[in-house]
């Protein structure tokens, strides 16, 4: 791939990525939520099992402080509740409430309607290519970081 093809690819890819992020941002704002709060709810829905704050931070690659702030607001709004995991008061699981579930059903229906425009083969191809790009980027990032550590 020559330099102009590569530049055109990244321009288009970044535009699509950013537009997608803006759509989620608009949904979050229209519901009075931060982007982080929306992603916390979506992550809990996708995992379909209670997670701890630490697990949410790791899954979303966000700081514990950012996640904690969003969790507090979602608990206050009645979308989430915290429950001690295995009797450990410091290690709390985050659970979606009925109100949170109702919110997710309203918003997830938009996502499901959008993805239904793709065939099964297209959905599989999208996931496969996204994973392939992520794996390649991870490899290149590790090379870069290793070179940085060794001063190359």
């Amino acid at each position: 791939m020559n330099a102009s093809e590569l530049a055109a690819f990244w321009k288009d890819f970044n535009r699509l990525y950013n537009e997608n992020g803006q759509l989620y941002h608009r949904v979050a704002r229209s519901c009075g939520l931060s982007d982080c709060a929306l992603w916390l709810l979506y992550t809990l829905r996708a995992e379909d099992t209670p997670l701890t704050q630490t697990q949410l931070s790791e899954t979303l690659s966000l700081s514990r402080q950012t996640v904690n702030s969003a969790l507090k607001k979602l608990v206050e709004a009645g979308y989430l509740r915290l429950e001690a995991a295995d009797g450990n008061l410091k290690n709390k699981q985050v659970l979606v409430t009925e109100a949170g579930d109702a919110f997710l059903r309203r918003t997830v229906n938009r996502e499901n309607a959008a993805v239904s425009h793709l065939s099964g083969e297209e959905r599989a191809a999208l996931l496969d290519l996204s994973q392939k790009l992520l794996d390649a980027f991870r490899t290149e990032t590790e090379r870069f970081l290793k070179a940085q550590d060794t001063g190359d």
Side-chain angles (χ1 to χ4, degrees), residues 27-132:
V27 169
R29 290 291 180 238
S30 75
C31 297
L33 299 175
S34 67
D35 292 5
C36 180
L38 182 70
W39 286 113
L40 289 174
L41 286 167
Y42 276 27
T43 300
L44 290 166
R45 177 215 59 209
E47 292 296 325
D48 200 30
T49 185
L51 298 175
T52 64
Q53 179 179 335
T54 299
Q55 290 169 319
L56 284 166
S57 295
E58 290 169 358
T59 299
L60 292 168
S61 299
L62 295 170
S63 72
R64 283 181 49 85
Q65 182 179 3
T66 299
V67 170
N68 186 49
S69 295
L71 280 176
K72 283 182 181 178
K73 290 179 182 174
L74 289 168
V75 168
E76 289 171 10
Y79 290 153
L80 297 178
R81 65 183 172 84
L82 304 176
E83 187 176 284
D86 301 324
N88 182 348
L89 294 177
K90 288 188 176 184
N91 193 23
K92 295 181 181 176
Q93 293 180 323
V94 182
L95 303 159
V96 178
T97 64
E98 286 184 34
D101 191 52
F103 169 81
L104 285 168
R105 280 194 307 274
R106 281 196 329 271
T107 59
V108 169
N109 284 343
R110 301 305 118 227
E111 283 184 315
N112 290 342
V115 82
S116 71
H117 291 272
L118 302 176
S119 70
E121 289 174 351
E122 289 169 327
R123 289 190 303 273
L126 179 60
L127 292 175
D128 288 345
L129 289 172
S130 296
Q131 186 65 57
K132 186 175 182 178

